Amino acid sequence: MAIRLGDIAPDFTADTTQGPLTFHSWKGSSWAVLFSHPKDFTPVCTTELGRAAQLKPEFEKRNCKIIGLSVDPVDSHRKWEGDIADVTGHAVNFPMIGDPDRAVALLYDMIHPNAAENVTVRSVFVIGPDNKVKLTITYPASTGRNFDEILRVIDSLQLTANYSVATPADWKRGEDVIIVPAVSDEDAKKKFPKGFVAKKPYLRVTPQPDR
Ligand code: BEZ
């Protein structure tokens, strides 16, 4: 069954390039990104894994662990990692799940048979400290993901989790945010000491609160 926002991310035990793990205990109370790759030794995936490795420090700054998956076995992932470092200059520095029996891929509905029968699409799940799914994105095999966008969404999700704010279209870290309608003007004055501008009664913007 499809996994929806707000669902508990299903737990699983799997073999990875960094040894066997149980997802919930590996994740602990961090944020996590779980993302799937159609197949080892494929061009787009190679570039994606190098980019994710390069950005790992940015995920860590956000208290977010990252973990990849493809339906090939771990020994194949390990061989492929040499190519990834070679081509991108970034060694894979996070676990890659080996899922040859497709158990995790099926659990997370990562195989879309009308797109490709036996391999996963490019799924992204962002999971919060409460183990609930906060974001899902699905890309086709032919489109490499934008990992800056994934970081941007995590920034937005973390602001929402910590303050009563939402973020507007194309928002980037450092730009003004939106005070959610559930907060009255009176409470907004107390909660947002930098003040706010009401462009409409329902659209009030304030500087990013944690800066
Ligand atoms: C790739 O990573 O390049 C790829 C994987 C599966 C299908 C198409 C492209």
Side-chain angles (χ1 to χ4, degrees), residues 5 8 10 32 54 60 65 67 125 132-133 140 153 155 182 190 195:
L5 302 191
I8 294 286
Q54 181 183 16
E60 283 172 344
K65 296 182 176 179
I67 186 164
F125 296 90
K132 289 188 179 166
V133 176
V153 179
D155 285 339
K190 290 182 220 142

Side-chain angles (χ1 to χ4, degrees), residues 60-80:
E60 283 172 344
K61 274 188 210 161
R62 292 158 175 83
N63 187 30
C64 184
K65 296 182 176 179
I66 57 177
I67 186 164
L69 172 147
S70 103
V71 295
D72 291 312
V74 160
D75 58 348
S76 162
H77 294 350
R78 289 208 180 99
K79 287 182 198 136
W80 181 32

Side-chain angles (χ1 to χ4, degrees), residues 40-111:
D40 292 3
F41 299 100
T42 51
V44 176
C45 300
T46 299
T47 64
E48 284 192 321
L49 287 170
R51 180 64 176 148
Q54 181 183 16
L55 287 175
K56 190 179 169 215
E58 289 299 320
F59 287 98
E60 283 172 344
K61 274 188 210 161
R62 292 158 175 83
N63 187 30
C64 184
K65 296 182 176 179
I66 57 177
I67 186 164
L69 172 147
S70 103
V71 295
D72 291 312
V74 160
D75 58 348
S76 162
H77 294 350
R78 289 208 180 99
K79 287 182 198 136
W80 181 32
E81 285 186 354
D83 286 0
I84 295 164
D86 194 22
V87 169
T88 69
H90 300 287
V92 178
N93 48 10
F94 51 85
M96 278 289 292
I97 297 166
D99 194 30
D101 61 2
R102 291 151 174 73
V104 182
L106 292 171
L107 187 64
Y108 275 78
D109 198 30
M110 291 167 167
I111 295 179

Side-chain angles (χ1 to χ4, degrees), residues 2-5 34-38 48 105 108-113 115-116 119-126 133 135-146 149-150:
I3 292 174
R4 296 180 175 172
L5 302 191
L34 167 64
F35 57 115
S36 59
H37 297 273
E48 284 192 321
Y108 275 78
D109 198 30
M110 291 167 167
I111 295 179
H112 298 194
V119 296
T120 68
V121 289
R122 296 185 197 281
S123 301
V124 181
F125 296 90
V126 176
V133 176
L135 172 89
T136 64
I137 328 180
T138 306
Y139 292 69
S142 51
T143 304
R145 280 161 283 206
N146 182 332
E149 167 62 4
I150 297 169

